[in-house]
Amino acid sequence: MPSTSARDKPNTSRQESLTEMFASVTPYERNSKRHGEITRRITEFIAKDMMPLSTVTKPGFMALIHTLDKRYSIPSRTYFSQTAIPELYKKCKEKVAAERKTVELFASTTDMWLSRTAEPYQSLTVHFIDEDFNLRARCLQTIYFPDNHTGENIAAGLREGFVSWDLHEENHVCITDNVLNMVLAARLNEWTRLQCFGHRSCHCWKKKAALTEAQRELKLPEHNLITECPTRWGSKEMVLSVDRYARSLIPTWQDIDVLESIHKALHPLLEFTDALSGEEYVSISYLKPVLRLFATSVLAEDAEDTDLTKSIKTKVLAYLNNKYGDPNIQELLDVACFLDPRFKIQYISTDNIPAIKTRLKTEMVDLAQRTYHLEKRSRTENVQMPQSAQSLGEKPKKSLGSFFKTSSASPSLPVSLEDVAEAEINNYLMTPTIDGEDDPLAWWRVHKISYPQLCTMARKYLCVPATSAPSERLFSTGGNIVTCTRSSLKPAKVNILVFLAKNL
């Protein structure tokens, strides 16, 4: 076929009218839908990516927005600071609060932090497993904490945090932390406390603040000490190699022997700490297997170990055994292992199995009785409501009430709730364990119908994190927000920006 030249093709383009030309360059109205969409996306970009508010005034950013949409006019920095960010925080907070109302049982983590401006903060995160067996973590607050870090003050601060989010302490399973003063705080609040696996002590924020103040008075550059982090396993070997190029730190052969001994003893701890610091998968049930592995393999003395390596291994193992040696903590770890279909009773002492089964059975019976009374009260209230009002309500969801024999007049408890709970536990133990790489929550998601009461126990205990890393990550976020160029941010604004960065 003969080809058609370009000049033979019909010209389908048309000249724009004057109205269309003016419309293409006329700025959007501030209350228009398009203007609102772009402004909202810019606000989310600033909050989620922890960008300074001055970004909206930068020539490069303004040129980018103008290229993408010439009709959009960027609001002022003041607008984003005083209107857009607070509105976004309000909506995000309402969303987290609505999600919180569906949470029955939860765990928490907390930590203390000192900003670049030597201002102390306390973080609070909550962890829970939703009805679809997804592990969730939510940042609740990063509050300014100028008071002395005593157990009494920390306890009061955490209680205030719970109250502000309408969280009931009776539904609180456990708190994971690395703050020494939390020993007293947890005891005052009567909370179960799990020490962070990856830490062994705590920095003193007062000494850091004193160092900063002294440097300012002497008009010296503000620096932190180059030292190991006493709260972090494996940090010593990293610190020893910080200034490897300095002539004064060139190691001798004796130094190399020491470093190799330290590396052999501490490096495995660093790897296990990283593995246990995840937020998106179950970690507490790993503690028993890891401690067993340390005692039998990782920290066991080897024929090729130097005396220094043997000494470090012995002391670390003794410290870990003492750290988790409390009977209440051991029982908590046993329960978590029991409810993990990968392990069940594999790492639990034979003598402790009956006590674990009894504890779970008692909690399951108590849960069933509470559910029974709640449903009975709800049913009574519905009977007293007018028919028109009842018709507006939602159909009640199927719950643990299916275990109750009910009649039209009044519900009655089954013959033996203990028998129902024990049957669930025994049937669960009869099922084969799953592979160690499988997700225990995925298993419970499939089998929750078969074990309606025991699955609630799984949601209760498997949500507890093994480390306080989630709260520490809040402070990493805070460090990216309170930078040298943003050191004048007020504590309330820091709380808002950290909240948005973690929860959007």
mmCIF file with all atom_site columns, all heavy atoms in Angstrom, residues 105 173 331 335 339 356-370 421 453 456-457 460-461:
data_model
loop_
_atom_site.group_PDB
_atom_site.id
_atom_site.type_symbol
_atom_site.label_atom_id
_atom_site.label_alt_id
_atom_site.label_comp_id
_atom_site.label_asym_id
_atom_site.label_entity_id
_atom_site.label_seq_id
_atom_site.pdbx_PDB_ins_code
_atom_site.Cartn_x
_atom_site.Cartn_y
_atom_site.Cartn_z
_atom_site.occupancy
_atom_site.B_iso_or_equiv
_atom_site.pdbx_formal_charge
_atom_site.auth_seq_id
_atom_site.auth_comp_id
_atom_site.auth_asym_id
_atom_site.auth_atom_id
_atom_site.pdbx_PDB_model_num
ATOM 1   N N   . LEU A 1 105 ? -6.980  -6.129  74.227 1.00 0.00 ? 105 LEU A N   1
ATOM 2   C CA  . LEU A 1 105 ? -5.778  -6.422  74.999 1.00 0.00 ? 105 LEU A CA  1
ATOM 3   C C   . LEU A 1 105 ? -4.575  -5.841  74.264 1.00 0.00 ? 105 LEU A C   1
ATOM 4   O O   . LEU A 1 105 ? -4.487  -5.937  73.043 1.00 0.00 ? 105 LEU A O   1
ATOM 5   C CB  . LEU A 1 105 ? -5.620  -7.934  75.180 1.00 0.00 ? 105 LEU A CB  1
ATOM 6   C CG  . LEU A 1 105 ? -6.817  -8.637  75.849 1.00 0.00 ? 105 LEU A CG  1
ATOM 7   C CD1 . LEU A 1 105 ? -6.743  -10.131 75.627 1.00 0.00 ? 105 LEU A CD1 1
ATOM 8   C CD2 . LEU A 1 105 ? -6.847  -8.323  77.334 1.00 0.00 ? 105 LEU A CD2 1
ATOM 9   N N   . VAL A 1 173 ? -1.281  -5.914  79.071 1.00 0.00 ? 173 VAL A N   1
ATOM 10  C CA  . VAL A 1 173 ? -0.647  -7.213  79.303 1.00 0.00 ? 173 VAL A CA  1
ATOM 11  C C   . VAL A 1 173 ? 0.737   -7.049  79.902 1.00 0.00 ? 173 VAL A C   1
ATOM 12  O O   . VAL A 1 173 ? 1.078   -7.682  80.909 1.00 0.00 ? 173 VAL A O   1
ATOM 13  C CB  . VAL A 1 173 ? -0.558  -8.020  77.987 1.00 0.00 ? 173 VAL A CB  1
ATOM 14  C CG1 . VAL A 1 173 ? 0.055   -9.390  78.250 1.00 0.00 ? 173 VAL A CG1 1
ATOM 15  C CG2 . VAL A 1 173 ? -1.920  -8.143  77.334 1.00 0.00 ? 173 VAL A CG2 1
ATOM 16  N N   . GLU A 1 331 ? 7.184   -17.310 83.604 1.00 0.00 ? 331 GLU A N   1
ATOM 17  C CA  . GLU A 1 331 ? 5.836   -17.808 83.291 1.00 0.00 ? 331 GLU A CA  1
ATOM 18  C C   . GLU A 1 331 ? 5.265   -17.082 82.079 1.00 0.00 ? 331 GLU A C   1
ATOM 19  O O   . GLU A 1 331 ? 4.605   -17.695 81.227 1.00 0.00 ? 331 GLU A O   1
ATOM 20  C CB  . GLU A 1 331 ? 4.921   -17.617 84.501 1.00 0.00 ? 331 GLU A CB  1
ATOM 21  C CG  . GLU A 1 331 ? 3.558   -18.269 84.334 1.00 0.00 ? 331 GLU A CG  1
ATOM 22  C CD  . GLU A 1 331 ? 2.757   -18.278 85.613 1.00 0.00 ? 331 GLU A CD  1
ATOM 23  O OE1 . GLU A 1 331 ? 3.345   -18.049 86.693 1.00 0.00 ? 331 GLU A OE1 1
ATOM 24  O OE2 . GLU A 1 331 ? 1.524   -18.508 85.541 1.00 0.00 ? 331 GLU A OE2 1
ATOM 25  N N   . VAL A 1 335 ? 4.157   -18.963 78.655 1.00 0.00 ? 335 VAL A N   1
ATOM 26  C CA  . VAL A 1 335 ? 2.821   -18.827 78.061 1.00 0.00 ? 335 VAL A CA  1
ATOM 27  C C   . VAL A 1 335 ? 2.932   -18.408 76.597 1.00 0.00 ? 335 VAL A C   1
ATOM 28  O O   . VAL A 1 335 ? 2.232   -18.945 75.722 1.00 0.00 ? 335 VAL A O   1
ATOM 29  C CB  . VAL A 1 335 ? 1.978   -17.809 78.853 1.00 0.00 ? 335 VAL A CB  1
ATOM 30  C CG1 . VAL A 1 335 ? 0.687   -17.482 78.112 1.00 0.00 ? 335 VAL A CG1 1
ATOM 31  C CG2 . VAL A 1 335 ? 1.659   -18.347 80.240 1.00 0.00 ? 335 VAL A CG2 1
ATOM 32  N N   . LEU A 1 339 ? 1.685   -20.633 73.285 1.00 0.00 ? 339 LEU A N   1
ATOM 33  C CA  . LEU A 1 339 ? 0.688   -20.157 72.326 1.00 0.00 ? 339 LEU A CA  1
ATOM 34  C C   . LEU A 1 339 ? 1.254   -19.950 70.928 1.00 0.00 ? 339 LEU A C   1
ATOM 35  O O   . LEU A 1 339 ? 0.514   -19.575 70.019 1.00 0.00 ? 339 LEU A O   1
ATOM 36  C CB  . LEU A 1 339 ? 0.077   -18.851 72.833 1.00 0.00 ? 339 LEU A CB  1
ATOM 37  C CG  . LEU A 1 339 ? -0.764  -18.970 74.107 1.00 0.00 ? 339 LEU A CG  1
ATOM 38  C CD1 . LEU A 1 339 ? -1.094  -17.601 74.670 1.00 0.00 ? 339 LEU A CD1 1
ATOM 39  C CD2 . LEU A 1 339 ? -2.031  -19.757 73.842 1.00 0.00 ? 339 LEU A CD2 1
ATOM 40  N N   . ILE A 1 356 ? 1.086   -23.811 83.372 1.00 0.00 ? 356 ILE A N   1
ATOM 41  C CA  . ILE A 1 356 ? 0.756   -22.979 82.208 1.00 0.00 ? 356 ILE A CA  1
ATOM 42  C C   . ILE A 1 356 ? -0.648  -23.307 81.716 1.00 0.00 ? 356 ILE A C   1
ATOM 43  O O   . ILE A 1 356 ? -1.444  -22.411 81.402 1.00 0.00 ? 356 ILE A O   1
ATOM 44  C CB  . ILE A 1 356 ? 1.787   -23.185 81.089 1.00 0.00 ? 356 ILE A CB  1
ATOM 45  C CG1 . ILE A 1 356 ? 3.179   -22.792 81.561 1.00 0.00 ? 356 ILE A CG1 1
ATOM 46  C CG2 . ILE A 1 356 ? 1.404   -22.379 79.859 1.00 0.00 ? 356 ILE A CG2 1
ATOM 47  C CD1 . ILE A 1 356 ? 3.291   -21.382 82.066 1.00 0.00 ? 356 ILE A CD1 1
ATOM 48  N N   . LYS A 1 357 ? -0.973  -24.594 81.650 1.00 0.00 ? 357 LYS A N   1
ATOM 49  C CA  . LYS A 1 357 ? -2.310  -25.001 81.209 1.00 0.00 ? 357 LYS A CA  1
ATOM 50  C C   . LYS A 1 357 ? -3.378  -24.492 82.172 1.00 0.00 ? 357 LYS A C   1
ATOM 51  O O   . LYS A 1 357 ? -4.443  -24.029 81.750 1.00 0.00 ? 357 LYS A O   1
ATOM 52  C CB  . LYS A 1 357 ? -2.375  -26.523 81.070 1.00 0.00 ? 357 LYS A CB  1
ATOM 53  C CG  . LYS A 1 357 ? -1.480  -27.074 79.969 1.00 0.00 ? 357 LYS A CG  1
ATOM 54  C CD  . LYS A 1 357 ? -1.439  -28.583 79.968 1.00 0.00 ? 357 LYS A CD  1
ATOM 55  C CE  . LYS A 1 357 ? -2.768  -29.186 79.578 1.00 0.00 ? 357 LYS A CE  1
ATOM 56  N NZ  . LYS A 1 357 ? -2.682  -30.676 79.454 1.00 0.00 ? 357 LYS A NZ  1
ATOM 57  N N   . THR A 1 358 ? -3.089  -24.563 83.472 1.00 0.00 ? 358 THR A N   1
ATOM 58  C CA  . THR A 1 358 ? -4.042  -24.078 84.469 1.00 0.00 ? 358 THR A CA  1
ATOM 59  C C   . THR A 1 358 ? -4.256  -22.579 84.344 1.00 0.00 ? 358 THR A C   1
ATOM 60  O O   . THR A 1 358 ? -5.385  -22.083 84.427 1.00 0.00 ? 358 THR A O   1
ATOM 61  C CB  . THR A 1 358 ? -3.549  -24.424 85.888 1.00 0.00 ? 358 THR A CB  1
ATOM 62  O OG1 . THR A 1 358 ? -3.417  -25.843 86.015 1.00 0.00 ? 358 THR A OG1 1
ATOM 63  C CG2 . THR A 1 358 ? -4.520  -23.911 86.938 1.00 0.00 ? 358 THR A CG2 1
ATOM 64  N N   . ARG A 1 359 ? -3.171  -21.848 84.138 1.00 0.00 ? 359 ARG A N   1
ATOM 65  C CA  . ARG A 1 359 ? -3.287  -20.393 83.989 1.00 0.00 ? 359 ARG A CA  1
ATOM 66  C C   . ARG A 1 359 ? -4.137  -20.040 82.777 1.00 0.00 ? 359 ARG A C   1
ATOM 67  O O   . ARG A 1 359 ? -5.033  -19.183 82.871 1.00 0.00 ? 359 ARG A O   1
ATOM 68  C CB  . ARG A 1 359 ? -1.894  -19.774 83.857 1.00 0.00 ? 359 ARG A CB  1
ATOM 69  C CG  . ARG A 1 359 ? -1.920  -18.297 83.483 1.00 0.00 ? 359 ARG A CG  1
ATOM 70  C CD  . ARG A 1 359 ? -0.544  -17.668 83.526 1.00 0.00 ? 359 ARG A CD  1
ATOM 71  N NE  . ARG A 1 359 ? -0.544  -16.293 83.024 1.00 0.00 ? 359 ARG A NE  1
ATOM 72  C CZ  . ARG A 1 359 ? 0.448   -15.432 83.202 1.00 0.00 ? 359 ARG A CZ  1
ATOM 73  N NH1 . ARG A 1 359 ? 1.532   -15.805 83.868 1.00 0.00 ? 359 ARG A NH1 1
ATOM 74  N NH2 . ARG A 1 359 ? 0.370   -14.205 82.716 1.00 0.00 ? 359 ARG A NH2 1
ATOM 75  N N   . LEU A 1 360 ? -3.874  -20.663 81.658 1.00 0.00 ? 360 LEU A N   1
ATOM 76  C CA  . LEU A 1 360 ? -4.644  -20.368 80.457 1.00 0.00 ? 360 LEU A CA  1
ATOM 77  C C   . LEU A 1 360 ? -6.107  -20.757 80.625 1.00 0.00 ? 360 LEU A C   1
ATOM 78  O O   . LEU A 1 360 ? -7.013  -20.030 80.200 1.00 0.00 ? 360 LEU A O   1
ATOM 79  C CB  . LEU A 1 360 ? -4.034  -21.090 79.259 1.00 0.00 ? 360 LEU A CB  1
ATOM 80  C CG  . LEU A 1 360 ? -2.713  -20.514 78.736 1.00 0.00 ? 360 LEU A CG  1
ATOM 81  C CD1 . LEU A 1 360 ? -2.129  -21.430 77.662 1.00 0.00 ? 360 LEU A CD1 1
ATOM 82  C CD2 . LEU A 1 360 ? -2.930  -19.112 78.168 1.00 0.00 ? 360 LEU A CD2 1
ATOM 83  N N   . LYS A 1 361 ? -6.343  -21.907 81.237 1.00 0.00 ? 361 LYS A N   1
ATOM 84  C CA  . LYS A 1 361 ? -7.726  -22.352 81.436 1.00 0.00 ? 361 LYS A CA  1
ATOM 85  C C   . LYS A 1 361 ? -8.491  -21.379 82.332 1.00 0.00 ? 361 LYS A C   1
ATOM 86  O O   . LYS A 1 361 ? -9.652  -21.034 82.051 1.00 0.00 ? 361 LYS A O   1
ATOM 87  C CB  . LYS A 1 361 ? -7.738  -23.753 82.035 1.00 0.00 ? 361 LYS A CB  1
ATOM 88  C CG  . LYS A 1 361 ? -9.137  -24.336 82.183 1.00 0.00 ? 361 LYS A CG  1
ATOM 89  C CD  . LYS A 1 361 ? -9.084  -25.823 82.528 1.00 0.00 ? 361 LYS A CD  1
ATOM 90  C CE  . LYS A 1 361 ? -8.514  -26.050 83.909 1.00 0.00 ? 361 LYS A CE  1
ATOM 91  N NZ  . LYS A 1 361 ? -8.594  -27.488 84.305 1.00 0.00 ? 361 LYS A NZ  1
ATOM 92  N N   . THR A 1 362 ? -7.838  -20.893 83.385 1.00 0.00 ? 362 THR A N   1
ATOM 93  C CA  . THR A 1 362 ? -8.484  -19.932 84.285 1.00 0.00 ? 362 THR A CA  1
ATOM 94  C C   . THR A 1 362 ? -8.814  -18.642 83.562 1.00 0.00 ? 362 THR A C   1
ATOM 95  O O   . THR A 1 362 ? -9.913  -18.084 83.698 1.00 0.00 ? 362 THR A O   1
ATOM 96  C CB  . THR A 1 362 ? -7.564  -19.635 85.487 1.00 0.00 ? 362 THR A CB  1
ATOM 97  O OG1 . THR A 1 362 ? -7.295  -20.855 86.186 1.00 0.00 ? 362 THR A OG1 1
ATOM 98  C CG2 . THR A 1 362 ? -8.215  -18.642 86.435 1.00 0.00 ? 362 THR A CG2 1
ATOM 99  N N   . GLU A 1 363 ? -7.879  -18.131 82.755 1.00 0.00 ? 363 GLU A N   1
ATOM 100 C CA  . GLU A 1 363 ? -8.116  -16.890 82.025 1.00 0.00 ? 363 GLU A CA  1
ATOM 101 C C   . GLU A 1 363 ? -9.204  -17.077 80.970 1.00 0.00 ? 363 GLU A C   1
ATOM 102 O O   . GLU A 1 363 ? -10.007 -16.165 80.734 1.00 0.00 ? 363 GLU A O   1
ATOM 103 C CB  . GLU A 1 363 ? -6.815  -16.415 81.376 1.00 0.00 ? 363 GLU A CB  1
ATOM 104 C CG  . GLU A 1 363 ? -5.769  -15.949 82.381 1.00 0.00 ? 363 GLU A CG  1
ATOM 105 C CD  . GLU A 1 363 ? -4.604  -15.263 81.702 1.00 0.00 ? 363 GLU A CD  1
ATOM 106 O OE1 . GLU A 1 363 ? -4.771  -14.764 80.569 1.00 0.00 ? 363 GLU A OE1 1
ATOM 107 O OE2 . GLU A 1 363 ? -3.512  -15.203 82.297 1.00 0.00 ? 363 GLU A OE2 1
ATOM 108 N N   . MET A 1 364 ? -9.253  -18.235 80.342 1.00 0.00 ? 364 MET A N   1
ATOM 109 C CA  . MET A 1 364 ? -10.281 -18.487 79.339 1.00 0.00 ? 364 MET A CA  1
ATOM 110 C C   . MET A 1 364 ? -11.665 -18.547 79.972 1.00 0.00 ? 364 MET A C   1
ATOM 111 O O   . MET A 1 364 ? -12.648 -18.037 79.423 1.00 0.00 ? 364 MET A O   1
ATOM 112 C CB  . MET A 1 364 ? -9.971  -19.791 78.593 1.00 0.00 ? 364 MET A CB  1
ATOM 113 C CG  . MET A 1 364 ? -8.734  -19.696 77.700 1.00 0.00 ? 364 MET A CG  1
ATOM 114 S SD  . MET A 1 364 ? -8.067  -21.303 77.214 1.00 0.00 ? 364 MET A SD  1
ATOM 115 C CE  . MET A 1 364 ? -9.379  -21.897 76.136 1.00 0.00 ? 364 MET A CE  1
ATOM 116 N N   . VAL A 1 365 ? -11.756 -19.160 81.145 1.00 0.00 ? 365 VAL A N   1
ATOM 117 C CA  . VAL A 1 365 ? -13.042 -19.226 81.848 1.00 0.00 ? 365 VAL A CA  1
ATOM 118 C C   . VAL A 1 365 ? -13.482 -17.837 82.278 1.00 0.00 ? 365 VAL A C   1
ATOM 119 O O   . VAL A 1 365 ? -14.657 -17.457 82.126 1.00 0.00 ? 365 VAL A O   1
ATOM 120 C CB  . VAL A 1 365 ? -12.929 -20.175 83.061 1.00 0.00 ? 365 VAL A CB  1
ATOM 121 C CG1 . VAL A 1 365 ? -14.174 -20.063 83.950 1.00 0.00 ? 365 VAL A CG1 1
ATOM 122 C CG2 . VAL A 1 365 ? -12.746 -21.616 82.604 1.00 0.00 ? 365 VAL A CG2 1
ATOM 123 N N   . ASP A 1 366 ? -12.539 -17.063 82.834 1.00 0.00 ? 366 ASP A N   1
ATOM 124 C CA  . ASP A 1 366 ? -12.872 -15.699 83.242 1.00 0.00 ? 366 ASP A CA  1
ATOM 125 C C   . ASP A 1 366 ? -13.347 -14.869 82.045 1.00 0.00 ? 366 ASP A C   1
ATOM 126 O O   . ASP A 1 366 ? -14.298 -14.094 82.153 1.00 0.00 ? 366 ASP A O   1
ATOM 127 C CB  . ASP A 1 366 ? -11.653 -15.031 83.884 1.00 0.00 ? 366 ASP A CB  1
ATOM 128 C CG  . ASP A 1 366 ? -11.304 -15.641 85.233 1.00 0.00 ? 366 ASP A CG  1
ATOM 129 O OD1 . ASP A 1 366 ? -12.168 -16.330 85.809 1.00 0.00 ? 366 ASP A OD1 1
ATOM 130 O OD2 . ASP A 1 366 ? -10.161 -15.437 85.692 1.00 0.00 ? 366 ASP A OD2 1
ATOM 131 N N   . LEU A 1 367 ? -12.677 -15.043 80.920 1.00 0.00 ? 367 LEU A N   1
ATOM 132 C CA  . LEU A 1 367 ? -13.069 -14.314 79.711 1.00 0.00 ? 367 LEU A CA  1
ATOM 133 C C   . LEU A 1 367 ? -14.473 -14.705 79.274 1.00 0.00 ? 367 LEU A C   1
ATOM 134 O O   . LEU A 1 367 ? -15.298 -13.847 78.927 1.00 0.00 ? 367 LEU A O   1
ATOM 135 C CB  . LEU A 1 367 ? -12.068 -14.591 78.592 1.00 0.00 ? 367 LEU A CB  1
ATOM 136 C CG  . LEU A 1 367 ? -12.413 -14.003 77.226 1.00 0.00 ? 367 LEU A CG  1
ATOM 137 C CD1 . LEU A 1 367 ? -12.385 -12.486 77.277 1.00 0.00 ? 367 LEU A CD1 1
ATOM 138 C CD2 . LEU A 1 367 ? -11.435 -14.508 76.166 1.00 0.00 ? 367 LEU A CD2 1
ATOM 139 N N   . ALA A 1 368 ? -14.760 -15.985 79.296 1.00 0.00 ? 368 ALA A N   1
ATOM 140 C CA  . ALA A 1 368 ? -16.088 -16.452 78.888 1.00 0.00 ? 368 ALA A CA  1
ATOM 141 C C   . ALA A 1 368 ? -17.171 -15.923 79.818 1.00 0.00 ? 368 ALA A C   1
ATOM 142 O O   . ALA A 1 368 ? -18.255 -15.528 79.375 1.00 0.00 ? 368 ALA A O   1
ATOM 143 C CB  . ALA A 1 368 ? -16.113 -17.981 78.859 1.00 0.00 ? 368 ALA A CB  1
ATOM 144 N N   . GLN A 1 369 ? -16.873 -15.880 81.113 1.00 0.00 ? 369 GLN A N   1
ATOM 145 C CA  . GLN A 1 369 ? -17.862 -15.373 82.066 1.00 0.00 ? 369 GLN A CA  1
ATOM 146 C C   . GLN A 1 369 ? -18.093 -13.882 81.878 1.00 0.00 ? 369 GLN A C   1
ATOM 147 O O   . GLN A 1 369 ? -19.240 -13.415 81.931 1.00 0.00 ? 369 GLN A O   1
ATOM 148 C CB  . GLN A 1 369 ? -17.400 -15.661 83.495 1.00 0.00 ? 369 GLN A CB  1
ATOM 149 C CG  . GLN A 1 369 ? -17.448 -17.136 83.867 1.00 0.00 ? 369 GLN A CG  1
ATOM 150 C CD  . GLN A 1 369 ? -16.882 -17.396 85.253 1.00 0.00 ? 369 GLN A CD  1
ATOM 151 O OE1 . GLN A 1 369 ? -16.119 -16.597 85.787 1.00 0.00 ? 369 GLN A OE1 1
ATOM 152 N NE2 . GLN A 1 369 ? -17.233 -18.542 85.833 1.00 0.00 ? 369 GLN A NE2 1
ATOM 153 N N   . ARG A 1 370 ? -17.022 -13.120 81.632 1.00 0.00 ? 370 ARG A N   1
ATOM 154 C CA  . ARG A 1 370 ? -17.189 -11.680 81.391 1.00 0.00 ? 370 ARG A CA  1
ATOM 155 C C   . ARG A 1 370 ? -18.004 -11.442 80.126 1.00 0.00 ? 370 ARG A C   1
ATOM 156 O O   . ARG A 1 370 ? -18.875 -10.580 80.089 1.00 0.00 ? 370 ARG A O   1
ATOM 157 C CB  . ARG A 1 370 ? -15.824 -11.000 81.274 1.00 0.00 ? 370 ARG A CB  1
ATOM 158 C CG  . ARG A 1 370 ? -15.071 -10.871 82.569 1.00 0.00 ? 370 ARG A CG  1
ATOM 159 C CD  . ARG A 1 370 ? -13.991 -9.789  82.469 1.00 0.00 ? 370 ARG A CD  1
ATOM 160 N NE  . ARG A 1 370 ? -13.106 -10.003 81.341 1.00 0.00 ? 370 ARG A NE  1
ATOM 161 C CZ  . ARG A 1 370 ? -11.991 -10.716 81.389 1.00 0.00 ? 370 ARG A CZ  1
ATOM 162 N NH1 . ARG A 1 370 ? -11.641 -11.320 82.527 1.00 0.00 ? 370 ARG A NH1 1
ATOM 163 N NH2 . ARG A 1 370 ? -11.223 -10.847 80.321 1.00 0.00 ? 370 ARG A NH2 1
ATOM 164 N N   . ALA A 1 421 ? -12.742 -25.089 77.983 1.00 0.00 ? 421 ALA A N   1
ATOM 165 C CA  . ALA A 1 421 ? -11.393 -24.524 77.890 1.00 0.00 ? 421 ALA A CA  1
ATOM 166 C C   . ALA A 1 421 ? -10.341 -25.624 77.823 1.00 0.00 ? 421 ALA A C   1
ATOM 167 O O   . ALA A 1 421 ? -9.404  -25.557 77.018 1.00 0.00 ? 421 ALA A O   1
ATOM 168 C CB  . ALA A 1 421 ? -11.134 -23.611 79.089 1.00 0.00 ? 421 ALA A CB  1
ATOM 169 N N   . GLN A 1 453 ? -11.650 -19.432 72.077 1.00 0.00 ? 453 GLN A N   1
ATOM 170 C CA  . GLN A 1 453 ? -11.194 -18.829 73.327 1.00 0.00 ? 453 GLN A CA  1
ATOM 171 C C   . GLN A 1 453 ? -9.671  -18.778 73.389 1.00 0.00 ? 453 GLN A C   1
ATOM 172 O O   . GLN A 1 453 ? -9.089  -17.789 73.815 1.00 0.00 ? 453 GLN A O   1
ATOM 173 C CB  . GLN A 1 453 ? -11.742 -19.613 74.528 1.00 0.00 ? 453 GLN A CB  1
ATOM 174 C CG  . GLN A 1 453 ? -13.252 -19.448 74.707 1.00 0.00 ? 453 GLN A CG  1
ATOM 175 C CD  . GLN A 1 453 ? -13.750 -20.256 75.886 1.00 0.00 ? 453 GLN A CD  1
ATOM 176 O OE1 . GLN A 1 453 ? -13.717 -21.476 75.869 1.00 0.00 ? 453 GLN A OE1 1
ATOM 177 N NE2 . GLN A 1 453 ? -14.206 -19.572 76.912 1.00 0.00 ? 453 GLN A NE2 1
ATOM 178 N N   . THR A 1 456 ? -7.965  -15.919 71.602 1.00 0.00 ? 456 THR A N   1
ATOM 179 C CA  . THR A 1 456 ? -7.931  -14.646 72.317 1.00 0.00 ? 456 THR A CA  1
ATOM 180 C C   . THR A 1 456 ? -6.718  -14.572 73.219 1.00 0.00 ? 456 THR A C   1
ATOM 181 O O   . THR A 1 456 ? -6.103  -13.511 73.375 1.00 0.00 ? 456 THR A O   1
ATOM 182 C CB  . THR A 1 456 ? -9.215  -14.468 73.145 1.00 0.00 ? 456 THR A CB  1
ATOM 183 O OG1 . THR A 1 456 ? -10.350 -14.575 72.286 1.00 0.00 ? 456 THR A OG1 1
ATOM 184 C CG2 . THR A 1 456 ? -9.240  -13.111 73.827 1.00 0.00 ? 456 THR A CG2 1
ATOM 185 N N   . MET A 1 457 ? -6.355  -15.708 73.818 1.00 0.00 ? 457 MET A N   1
ATOM 186 C CA  . MET A 1 457 ? -5.132  -15.755 74.626 1.00 0.00 ? 457 MET A CA  1
ATOM 187 C C   . MET A 1 457 ? -3.903  -15.522 73.752 1.00 0.00 ? 457 MET A C   1
ATOM 188 O O   . MET A 1 457 ? -2.944  -14.868 74.171 1.00 0.00 ? 457 MET A O   1
ATOM 189 C CB  . MET A 1 457 ? -5.024  -17.110 75.326 1.00 0.00 ? 457 MET A CB  1
ATOM 190 C CG  . MET A 1 457 ? -6.138  -17.404 76.328 1.00 0.00 ? 457 MET A CG  1
ATOM 191 S SD  . MET A 1 457 ? -6.161  -16.278 77.728 1.00 0.00 ? 457 MET A SD  1
ATOM 192 C CE  . MET A 1 457 ? -7.511  -15.189 77.258 1.00 0.00 ? 457 MET A CE  1
ATOM 193 N N   . LYS A 1 460 ? -3.587  -11.946 73.125 1.00 0.00 ? 460 LYS A N   1
ATOM 194 C CA  . LYS A 1 460 ? -3.193  -11.254 74.344 1.00 0.00 ? 460 LYS A CA  1
ATOM 195 C C   . LYS A 1 460 ? -1.681  -11.292 74.554 1.00 0.00 ? 460 LYS A C   1
ATOM 196 O O   . LYS A 1 460 ? -1.059  -10.260 74.833 1.00 0.00 ? 460 LYS A O   1
ATOM 197 C CB  . LYS A 1 460 ? -3.900  -11.874 75.549 1.00 0.00 ? 460 LYS A CB  1
ATOM 198 C CG  . LYS A 1 460 ? -3.457  -11.302 76.896 1.00 0.00 ? 460 LYS A CG  1
ATOM 199 C CD  . LYS A 1 460 ? -4.208  -11.950 78.051 1.00 0.00 ? 460 LYS A CD  1
ATOM 200 C CE  . LYS A 1 460 ? -3.741  -11.359 79.387 1.00 0.00 ? 460 LYS A CE  1
ATOM 201 N NZ  . LYS A 1 460 ? -4.491  -11.947 80.531 1.00 0.00 ? 460 LYS A NZ  1
ATOM 202 N N   . TYR A 1 461 ? -1.077  -12.460 74.407 1.00 0.00 ? 461 TYR A N   1
ATOM 203 C CA  . TYR A 1 461 ? 0.321   -12.619 74.804 1.00 0.00 ? 461 TYR A CA  1
ATOM 204 C C   . TYR A 1 461 ? 1.314   -12.462 73.650 1.00 0.00 ? 461 TYR A C   1
ATOM 205 O O   . TYR A 1 461 ? 2.455   -12.049 73.878 1.00 0.00 ? 461 TYR A O   1
ATOM 206 C CB  . TYR A 1 461 ? 0.514   -13.980 75.472 1.00 0.00 ? 461 TYR A CB  1
ATOM 207 C CG  . TYR A 1 461 ? -0.098  -14.062 76.848 1.00 0.00 ? 461 TYR A CG  1
ATOM 208 C CD1 . TYR A 1 461 ? -1.301  -14.736 77.066 1.00 0.00 ? 461 TYR A CD1 1
ATOM 209 C CD2 . TYR A 1 461 ? 0.508   -13.436 77.930 1.00 0.00 ? 461 TYR A CD2 1
ATOM 210 C CE1 . TYR A 1 461 ? -1.877  -14.794 78.330 1.00 0.00 ? 461 TYR A CE1 1
ATOM 211 C CE2 . TYR A 1 461 ? -0.061  -13.488 79.197 1.00 0.00 ? 461 TYR A CE2 1
ATOM 212 C CZ  . TYR A 1 461 ? -1.246  -14.167 79.389 1.00 0.00 ? 461 TYR A CZ  1
ATOM 213 O OH  . TYR A 1 461 ? -1.806  -14.211 80.633 1.00 0.00 ? 461 TYR A OH  1
#
